[in-house]
């Protein structure tokens, strides 16, 4: 009886242990791991099938599991830095544990892996975009004339502009996209903000990434833009747009917003406008916290 009680208690504790699983999302990463003898899988499809079974079993047992992208190159670097043997399941476990605290993860919610993987990849892209944008801001350093931190000043201004955009927007669900062009690639950030009974709800991580990308555009004076789509039941969707400028955001006219949405970006050919959509000039954002930093 005591033995049974001990096993029962351990099962109870096992359900309270949260875990993270590192997932090889594509064939390329899977093939990279096959160079290790301790990695026993030969086929990516079979690997995903067994991974899904493990996730479902843990969920049925009441265990909470988060899923992270397992990058073989990052893993090799981690092992080199920590002196671990990369051809070891123990090393893979330690790397996955590190991902839980430093990398993007999503909770396993019972969805098939085919549906979960795109969400996980999107989360990883978001995280990488934020890291790169934050690094760009940090590299700007201090103003040679006054010593002000240029990246922090741009972030403060971007935060103010985002608050003004949300405060002046019509009520409803808001979908914002900010893009900043420049080498080596275009940075894109997305923010969803819902106005529910006069209370703004948004994801803090999305807001941080969006503000950081906007700050990069303001600080570097790179070409870019910001668009917002507002949806409310019973009303046409409203779309507003701005150009990025060193001093802030320059509103697009209703015609410019229409042209942007009704022109194919690759071919330049006209696209039929969406039904039940109004292309509008944005509300006045008022004055910012001061002029752009310049001397």
């Amino acid at each position: 009886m005591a033995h049974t009680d001990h096993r029962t208690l351990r099962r109870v504790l096992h359900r309270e242990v949260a875990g993270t699983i590192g997932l090889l999302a594509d064939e390329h990463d899977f093939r990279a791991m096959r160079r290790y003898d301790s990695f026993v899988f030969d086929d990516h499809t079979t690997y995903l099938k067994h991974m899904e079974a493990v996730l479902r079993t843990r969920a049925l047992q009441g265990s909470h599991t988060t899923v992270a992208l397992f990058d073989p190159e990052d893993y090799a670097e981690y092992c080199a830095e920590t002196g671990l043997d990369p051809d070891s399941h123990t090393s893979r476990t330690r790397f996955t544990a590190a991902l839980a605290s430093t990398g993007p993860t999503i909770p396993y919610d019972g969805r098939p892996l085919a549906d979960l993987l795109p969400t996980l990849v999107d989360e990883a892209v978001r995280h990488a975009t934020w890291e790169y944008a934050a690094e760009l801001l940090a590299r700007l350093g201090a103003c040679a004339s006054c010593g002000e931190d240029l990246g922090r000043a741009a972030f403060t201004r971007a935060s103010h502009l985002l608050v003004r955009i949300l405060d002046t927007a019509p009520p409803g669900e808001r979908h914002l996209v900010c893009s900043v062009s420049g080498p080596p690639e275009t940075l894109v950030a997305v923010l969803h903000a819902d106005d529910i009974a006069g209370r703004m709800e948004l994801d803090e991580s999305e807001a941080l990434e969006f503000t950081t990308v906007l700050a990069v555009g303001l600080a570097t004076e790179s070409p870019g833009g910001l668009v917002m789509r507002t949806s409310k039941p019973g009303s046409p969707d409203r779309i507003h747009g701005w150009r990025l400028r060193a001093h802030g955001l320059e509103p697009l006219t209703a015609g410019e917003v229409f042209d942007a949405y009704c022109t194919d970006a690759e071919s330049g050919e006209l696209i039929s406008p969406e039904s039940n959509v109004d292309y509008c000039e944005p509300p006045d954002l008022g004055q910012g916290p001061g002029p752009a930093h310049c001397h």
Side-chain angles (χ1 to χ4, degrees):
M1 180 67 177
H3 180 63
T4 301
D5 288 342
H6 287 164
R7 288 193 302 178
T8 301
L9 290 174
R10 287 171 185 171
R11 282 198 298 268
V12 170
L13 288 175
H14 181 73
R15 289 198 298 267
E16 297 190 19
V17 176
T20 301
I21 288 179
L23 185 64
L24 296 163
D26 57 40
E27 286 276 2
H28 179 269
D29 288 345
F30 180 83
R31 287 195 300 269
M33 291 302 295
R34 290 196 61 199
R35 60 184 163 178
Y36 302 121
D37 292 336
S38 60
F39 186 76
V40 298
F41 289 94
D42 298 320
D43 175 76
H44 188 233
T45 301
T46 302
Y47 162 82
L48 290 178
K49 179 181 178 181
H50 284 285
M51 182 66 77
E52 188 162 14
V54 170
L55 289 167
R56 285 180 174 174
T57 299
R58 285 181 56 83
L60 289 173
Q61 293 173 345
S63 298
H64 175 78
T65 309
T66 57
V67 184
L69 280 183
F70 193 105
D71 186 294
E73 291 185 6
D74 290 346
Y75 171 64
E77 292 178 5
Y78 173 82
C79 290
E81 292 172 357
T82 56
L84 294 174
D85 176 12
D87 196 358
S88 165
H89 68 86
T90 302
S91 299
R92 290 194 290 274
T93 300
R94 288 184 59 176
F95 175 68
T96 301
L99 288 178
S101 58
T102 61
T105 62
I106 60 173
Y108 177 69
D109 55 10
R111 278 180 290 169
L113 278 186
D115 297 332
L116 184 142
L117 274 174
T119 304
L120 181 58
V121 171
D122 287 346
E123 184 68 19
V125 171
R126 275 184 49 198
H127 187 79
T129 298
W130 172 76
E131 284 190 329
Y132 180 67
E135 183 180 351
L136 287 178
L137 288 180
R139 287 179 185 172
L140 295 175
C143 174
S145 298
C146 70
E148 182 177 15
D149 187 304
L150 296 175
R152 184 175 298 136
F155 188 89
T156 298
R157 186 165 185 78
S159 300
H160 171 85
L161 288 170
L162 178 57
V163 169
R164 290 298 301 151
I165 288 171
L166 296 176
D167 283 348
T168 58
E173 297 181 0
R174 294 88 179 261
H175 178 83
L176 294 87
V177 179
C178 179
S179 60
V180 177
S181 301
E185 59 187 20
T186 298
L187 296 176
V188 179
V190 177
L191 176 64
H192 302 274
D194 297 336
D195 182 8
I196 302 176
R199 187 180 75 254
M200 185 66 60
E201 291 191 1
L202 49 80
D203 183 275
E204 292 185 2
S205 296
E206 279 191 0
L208 175 60
E209 178 198 338
F210 191 92
T211 306
T212 305
V213 170
L214 176 56
V216 168
L218 298 176
T220 61
E221 302 183 30
S222 300
L226 192 158
V227 294
M228 177 177 64
R229 184 175 189 137
T230 305
S231 304
K232 184 180 179 182
S235 302
D237 285 4
R238 297 170 62 89
I239 299 178
H240 307 100
W242 296 263
R243 291 187 189 88
L244 267 63
R245 292 289 184 259
H247 63 275
L249 297 174
E250 179 182 283
L252 298 177
T253 66
E256 288 173 326
V257 176
F258 178 88
D259 289 342
Y261 265 80
C262 300
T263 303
D264 186 275
E266 295 184 359
S267 67
E269 296 180 358
L270 294 179
I271 304 172
S272 299
E274 296 182 60
S275 60
N276 204 36
V277 170
D278 290 338
Y279 303 93
C280 313
E281 185 171 342
D284 182 12
L285 298 182
Q287 295 297 316
H293 189 104
C294 59
H295 290 284

